[in-house]
Amino acid sequence: MPRALGSLSASGEPEHSQVPPGFAMLPAPSPPRTCQEPAAVRPLAAGSLSACRLQDARRLRPEERSGGPAGQVTQPAGRAWTSGCLVRLSNPHLATMKEDLLYHFSLGTGTHDFPAMFGDVKFVCVGGSPSRMSAFIKYVAAELGLGRPDEDHPNICTGTDRYAMYKAGPVLSVSHGMGVPSIAIMLHELIKLLYHARCSDVTIIRIGTSGGIGLEPGSVVITRQAVDACFRPEFEQIILGKRVVRSTDLDERLVQELMQCSSELAEFTTVVGNTMCTLDFYEGQGRLDGALCSYTEKDKQAYLHAAHAAGIRNIEMESSVFAAMCSACGLRAAVVCVTLLDRLLGDQISSPHEVLSEYQQRPQRLVSYFIKKSLGKA
Amino acid sequence: MPRALGSLSASGEPEHSQVPPGFAMLPAPSPPRTCQEPAAVRPLAAGSLSACRLQDARRLRPEERSGGPAGQVTQPAGRAWTSGCLVRLSNPHLATMKEDLLYHFSLGTGTHDFPAMFGDVKFVCVGGSPSRMSAFIKYVAAELGLGRPDEDHPNICTGTDRYAMYKAGPVLSVSHGMGVPSIAIMLHELIKLLYHARCSDVTIIRIGTSGGIGLEPGSVVITRQAVDACFRPEFEQIILGKRVVRSTDLDERLVQELMQCSSELAEFTTVVGNTMCTLDFYEGQGRLDGALCSYTEKDKQAYLHAAHAAGIRNIEMESSVFAAMCSACGLRAAVVCVTLLDRLLGDQISSPHEVLSEYQQRPQRLVSYFIKKSLGKA
């Protein structure tokens, strides 16, 4: 039976109901929290997280950080990941299915040998644009010395144009389209794919584009915390007509490792900051140049400055559900996005094409270097 | 200043506040309504609707309908559309911009002659998949006798892989990806494109795929009303951190015209029904086969049966924002989706590829016939 949505005590039990009429809380894989209360208590979902995730989920101590909410993590950190962690699902029904068809990938356990095709995957990189993810696999393959530099990596999802997927050695590169629903479909099927393939010790990184707040265009933001349009570290969804809220925790150790890689690369400015995930690019991000707009420049500036004060350094459209789903399935996850403009100064993305292209390669270069280093090839 | 979110009296003024703490209502192009109250009162947004839209927005009388909430409209209806209606924006800021760059189309008023390229557009058809929208333009061009049957129609948005756009005579065919955020970005830029091109009397139809409820797979559903996952005819979004609710009205006369076309074609079952628009394909639609699931088959069946009782005949992921935005900008809009499976009987889309391909052509055939007939060529 649905439970009323309320804030949580330290024990993880609801203290009091604040649910709007008509909404209730399902028993969810991640512990529920109220929409109204700040996320003071964030118990881990023991049922859905693997042991290695639990081991790695400790908070950074203040002395390990510098520069406030958006400052750079400068302390190098050793890899403390425990090996042998299988990808886990949080769905008992799948065990009863004879065959699983991943419709939007046009792949299925009845027609494809997932362990043979994907069993060696250790790094999954995802991004909105199919052509960018194709370019990434070519780049990372060359960096890792896999195949010839001019080698083509065929799209594995040839039976559909919903997503594109490429593989080179232990690296999988997958497009996810734009927005929370689009990446959520991809993640459901990707996580099932990794599970069916019996993959272990998988790190997943979103490499994307974003609008910056108070940053020089071309800066790269590594997400400390994914927050919603009200600056809360939550992902809210409606399940069977009821509001369910999940936390958007990301792996803090992985943030440190990526920041260390950026320091070693020393090619572009990189910061750690909160990332706001919105459901719309125009009104949802306070732009003044959509087909609809009912607020002023002053309203917009007030909103963006409040976001900056909350530690938000960039805005994109996928990080919250990405963090929530990866966390619920025990995947070590990070979000690395380049900023294409400073939203405090404008709305239109009007830099020349070649400038934007170079910006978009920055997260690819950083994550490629991280993979190389993780494999002992840097 | 933001107003508190509340239900509306017949005068359109808030009666009482039911806003959760932290949420307030912006002055929005469409009048606000509470999230909790049924949509008993739905005043038209005079500021954003064109005169022809107002003229066409009357409700069907009961005797013009048959078969209850999901029954077929069998009465033929004459076209009562007034000519000369320009596409309108609901954004005063755009008038101050020297140039407008439609980033996700890679088109701009400074680099492209929109009136010359698009000024003759009268019908816009949108759908998720780029290849389906390419196939559609080829099909409709042949049906209308425009160009050679084997003629290729180049993608107009060559500078990006976010969306694909094709044109044949007065018909524009545009892909929108999957989910509300993805189609919303496309619609903002499409509506601005039509505005800059000074298009008039434009009809826009989404031709898509969906999961059916209690219908034979392959049935086509013409949407009477787009509803959310709580069965409300509303589209909710967060603007500057505040919750805004817009109505999801569609053009009832257009529903009738499309239903009449289906009767004349007599090729497949077509019904008029409500369409539920969700933000997720798996948990959001009550599927049991996602990476995450915390409910039972019984819970799922109860939800889908409640949806059926509310007049919902299919579920997809774009109709609510499509209806809300088109309505706010005075575009005559309809949603025509084929059902790929009956969700009361299962979750996986496992019909053979050729069967699904034929299903997906059905909305295309219906809408193509409608266009032909509208142009006096049927």
Side-chain angles (χ1 to χ4, degrees):
Chain A
M1 284 298 292
R3 288 191 284 128
L5 181 65
S7 62
L8 291 175
S9 70
S11 69
E13 290 300 312
E15 285 185 325
H16 59 276
S17 170
Q18 290 198 336
V19 62
F23 285 102
M25 194 72 197
L26 279 180
S30 295
R33 285 201 316 284
T34 172
C35 294
Q36 322 304 337
E37 294 292 303
V41 179
R42 198 101 47 85
L44 290 167
S48 60
L49 292 179
S50 65
C52 46
R53 172 83 182 132
L54 289 168
Q55 183 170 329
D56 204 66
R58 75 180 181 86
R59 294 272 167 194
L60 284 184
R61 295 188 306 273
E63 63 270 27
E64 290 178 296
R65 295 176 176 168
S66 71
Q72 300 191 3
V73 174
T74 51
Q75 296 289 325
R79 187 95 188 275
W81 201 249
T82 304
S83 66
C85 298
L86 293 167
V87 174
R88 298 193 182 185
L89 302 178
S90 189
N91 179 359
H93 302 289
L94 284 170
T96 67
M97 289 169 60
K98 279 189 187 160
E99 186 180 343
D100 189 8
L101 180 60
L102 310 182
Y103 175 71
H104 300 88
F105 285 159
S106 198
L107 299 172
T109 55
T111 47
H112 298 79
D113 184 345
F114 283 20
M117 291 173 74
F118 304 108
D120 61 340
V121 169
K122 298 293 178 195
F123 302 93
V124 183
C125 298
V126 303
S129 149
S131 61
R132 194 172 356 109
M133 299 323 290
S134 172
F136 175 71
I137 206 71
K138 208 164 177 175
Y139 176 73
V140 79
E143 285 291 302
L144 296 177
L146 300 167
R148 300 183 314 277
D150 59 344
E151 187 172 334
D152 258 352
H153 298 269
N155 178 11
I156 297 167
C157 298
T158 47
T160 178
D161 64 353
R162 299 297 190 172
Y163 302 109
M165 182 187 290
Y166 308 92
K167 186 176 181 295
V171 184
L172 198 65
S173 174
V174 194
S175 72
H176 57 59
M178 287 187 288
V180 160
S182 188
I183 194 176
I185 296 173
M186 191 281 286
L187 285 173
H188 272 285
E189 299 188 10
L190 173 68
I191 293 168
K192 292 200 294 177
L193 180 153
L194 297 171
Y195 170 79
H196 292 310
R198 297 194 282 278
C199 293
S200 61
D201 305 319
V202 176
T203 297
I204 178 166
I205 304 180
R206 165 164 145 70
I207 47 177
T209 57
S210 62
I213 304 183
L215 294 175
E216 191 69 27
S219 302
V220 169
V221 179
I222 303 171
T223 302
R224 170 171 292 136
Q225 202 156 42
V227 301
D228 67 11
C230 300
F231 314 159
R232 296 168 303 199
E234 297 178 346
F235 173 64
E236 177 186 308
Q237 61 189 131
I238 304 295
I239 301 179
L240 301 188
K242 297 172 184 72
R243 198 179 295 253
V244 172
V245 180
R246 292 189 173 132
S247 80
T248 53
D249 283 340
L250 288 164
D251 191 289
E252 298 198 21
R253 179 65 56 122
L254 183 53
V255 170
Q256 279 189 299
E257 291 177 29
L258 287 163
M259 199 61 209
Q260 176 62 25
C261 286
S262 184
S263 300
E264 290 169 16
L265 268 183
E267 292 182 3
F268 39 78
T269 303
T270 304
V271 301
V272 175
N274 293 342
T275 296
M276 180 159 70
C277 177
T278 68
L279 288 169
D280 178 47
F281 182 82
Y282 285 95
E283 293 173 288
Q285 298 187 3
R287 276 187 164 81
L288 300 167
D289 63 341
L292 304 167
C293 181
S294 56
Y295 44 84
T296 66
E297 167 78 26
K298 198 177 159 192
D299 297 332
K300 165 195 154 179
Q301 289 293 339
Y303 181 63
L304 293 181
H305 278 93
H308 190 268
I312 294 165
R313 292 297 174 268
N314 65 336
I315 315 175
E316 45 80 271
M317 299 181 66
E318 293 87 13
S319 60
S320 64
V321 71
F322 173 82
M325 287 186 66
C326 292
S327 169
C329 293
L331 282 165
R332 193 180 187 226
V335 179
V336 179
C337 289
V338 72
T339 60
L340 299 182
L341 77 168
D342 182 357
R343 287 297 316 290
L344 295 178
L345 305 179
D347 295 331
Q348 295 235 311
I349 303 169
S350 51
S351 294
H353 179 75
E354 57 277 12
V355 171
L356 295 175
S357 289
E358 194 278 318
Y359 287 170
Q360 293 183 25
Q361 290 165 14
R362 294 181 177 186
Q364 299 187 24
R365 294 212 296 277
L366 171 53
V367 171
S368 176
Y369 179 81
F370 164 79
I371 293 171
K372 230 169 129 175
K373 190 178 169 188
S374 301
L375 294 172
K377 293 187 176 184
Chain B
M1 284 298 293
R3 288 189 284 126
L5 180 63
S7 62
L8 289 176
S9 71
S11 68
E13 290 301 310
E15 286 185 324
H16 58 277
S17 170
Q18 291 197 335
V19 63
F23 286 101
M25 194 71 197
L26 281 178
S30 294
R33 285 201 315 284
T34 172
C35 295
Q36 324 304 337
E37 294 292 305
V41 179
R42 199 99 48 84
L44 290 167
S48 59
L49 292 178
S50 65
C52 46
R53 170 85 182 130
L54 288 168
Q55 183 170 329
D56 205 67
R58 74 178 182 88
R59 295 272 166 194
L60 285 184
R61 295 189 306 274
E63 63 270 28
E64 290 179 296
R65 294 175 178 170
S66 70
Q72 299 192 5
V73 174
T74 50
Q75 297 288 324
R79 187 98 187 274
W81 200 248
T82 304
S83 65
C85 297
L86 293 167
V87 174
R88 298 195 182 184
L89 302 178
S90 188
N91 179 359
H93 302 289
L94 284 169
T96 67
M97 289 168 60
K98 279 189 187 160
E99 185 180 343
D100 190 8
L101 180 60
L102 310 183
Y103 175 71
H104 299 88
F105 286 159
S106 199
L107 300 172
T109 55
T111 47
H112 298 80
D113 184 346
F114 282 19
M117 290 173 75
F118 304 108
D120 61 340
V121 169
K122 298 294 177 194
F123 302 93
V124 183
C125 298
V126 303
S129 149
S131 61
R132 190 167 6 104
M133 299 323 291
S134 172
F136 175 71
I137 206 70
K138 208 166 176 172
Y139 176 72
V140 79
E143 285 290 302
L144 296 178
L146 300 167
R148 300 184 313 278
D150 59 344
E151 187 171 333
D152 258 352
H153 298 269
N155 178 11
I156 296 167
C157 298
T158 48
T160 179
D161 64 354
R162 300 297 191 172
Y163 302 110
M165 182 187 289
Y166 308 92
K167 186 175 181 297
V171 184
L172 198 64
S173 174
V174 195
S175 72
H176 57 60
M178 287 187 288
V180 160
S182 188
I183 194 176
I185 296 173
M186 191 281 287
L187 286 173
H188 272 284
E189 299 187 10
L190 172 69
I191 292 168
K192 292 199 295 177
L193 180 153
L194 298 171
Y195 170 80
H196 292 310
R198 297 195 282 278
C199 293
S200 62
D201 305 318
V202 175
T203 297
I204 178 167
I205 305 180
R206 164 164 147 70
I207 47 176
T209 57
S210 62
I213 304 183
L215 293 175
E216 191 69 28
S219 302
V220 170
V221 179
I222 302 171
T223 302
R224 169 170 293 137
Q225 202 156 42
V227 301
D228 68 11
C230 300
F231 315 158
R232 296 169 303 201
E234 299 178 344
F235 173 64
E236 176 186 309
Q237 62 188 129
I238 305 294
I239 301 179
L240 301 188
K242 296 171 186 71
R243 199 178 295 253
V244 172
V245 179
R246 291 187 173 133
S247 79
T248 53
D249 282 339
L250 287 163
D251 191 289
E252 298 197 22
R253 179 66 56 122
L254 184 53
V255 169
Q256 279 189 300
E257 291 177 28
L258 286 163
M259 199 62 209
Q260 177 61 25
C261 287
S262 184
S263 300
E264 289 168 16
L265 268 183
E267 291 184 4
F268 39 76
T269 303
T270 304
V271 301
V272 175
N274 293 342
T275 296
M276 179 160 68
C277 176
T278 68
L279 287 169
D280 177 46
F281 182 82
Y282 285 95
E283 293 173 287
Q285 297 187 4
R287 276 189 164 80
L288 300 168
D289 63 342
L292 303 167
C293 181
S294 57
Y295 44 84
T296 65
E297 167 79 25
K298 198 177 158 192
D299 296 332
K300 166 195 152 178
Q301 289 293 339
Y303 180 63
L304 293 181
H305 279 93
H308 190 269
I312 294 166
R313 293 297 174 268
N314 65 337
I315 315 175
E316 45 80 93
M317 299 180 67
E318 293 87 13
S319 60
S320 64
V321 71
F322 173 83
M325 287 184 67
C326 293
S327 169
C329 293
L331 281 165
R332 192 180 187 229
V335 179
V336 179
C337 290
V338 72
T339 61
L340 299 182
L341 77 168
D342 182 358
R343 289 297 317 290
L344 295 178
L345 305 179
D347 295 330
Q348 296 235 311
I349 303 169
S350 50
S351 293
H353 180 75
E354 58 276 13
V355 171
L356 294 175
S357 289
E358 193 278 318
Y359 287 171
Q360 293 182 25
Q361 289 165 15
R362 295 180 178 186
Q364 298 186 25
R365 294 212 297 276
L366 171 53
V367 170
S368 176
Y369 179 82
F370 164 79
I371 293 172
K372 232 169 128 175
K373 189 177 169 187
S374 301
L375 294 172
K377 294 187 177 184

